[in-house]
Amino acid sequence: MSRDTDQRISDVLHAIDRCTRYVGALDDGDADLVEMAEDAIERNLQIIGEAANHLPADTTDEHPEIAWPQIRGFRNILVHQYFGVDVDVVRDVVETYLPPLAGALRIHAVTE
């Protein structure tokens, strides 16, 4: 089943919300909870990258401030080079790069 642009934007926004909620668990003292949070965040970052990969050019072109190639590339790293993923990099992505992405896509969703 194919997903339209609005559905893909919704997928990204939901995955960003999950990442944002889960990132706090990375500081928990429970090693199992930390591991689950890492797995959940990485999975949602994969969803973001995959959905972004299928957004039409007119959508991504409206937001040149977003590093679209890096979003797609990070998804590939998470999937294909999973053994080299650094949790500090993942945290930085969630805390630094996902808020502007969410803002851009929320604006896009409102104007559509």
Side-chain angles (χ1 to χ4, degrees):
M1 175 172 70
S2 181
R3 299 182 67 70
D4 67 24
T5 300
D6 289 338
Q7 289 170 317
R8 292 191 188 277
I9 289 171
S10 179
D11 293 341
V12 171
L13 292 172
H14 282 99
I16 289 172
D17 179 59
R18 288 185 183 108
C19 288
T20 303
R21 286 186 289 134
Y22 302 158
V23 76
L26 297 177
D27 297 324
D28 195 280
D30 181 343
D32 288 334
L33 181 61
V34 170
E35 190 173 295
M36 284 189 290
E38 288 174 5
D39 290 347
I41 292 168
E42 289 179 22
R43 170 67 178 139
N44 280 283
L45 290 172
Q46 291 170 16
I47 291 168
I48 291 166
E50 185 66 17
N53 191 44
H54 293 283
L55 290 174
D58 63 326
T59 300
T60 57
D61 290 349
E62 288 180 24
H63 303 285
E65 74 281 9
I66 301 299
W68 298 106
Q70 289 82 355
I71 291 170
R72 295 176 193 112
F74 195 55
R75 177 255 177 218
N76 292 336
I77 290 169
L78 291 168
V79 171
H80 300 291
Q81 297 177 1
Y82 57 88
F83 49 85
V85 175
D86 182 337
V87 70
D88 292 328
V89 171
V90 169
R91 179 191 298 268
D92 184 55
V93 167
V94 171
E95 294 175 347
T96 305
Y97 298 100
L98 293 188
L101 175 60
L105 292 179
R106 283 189 184 105
I107 288 170
H108 179 81
V110 169
T111 60
E112 285 296 304

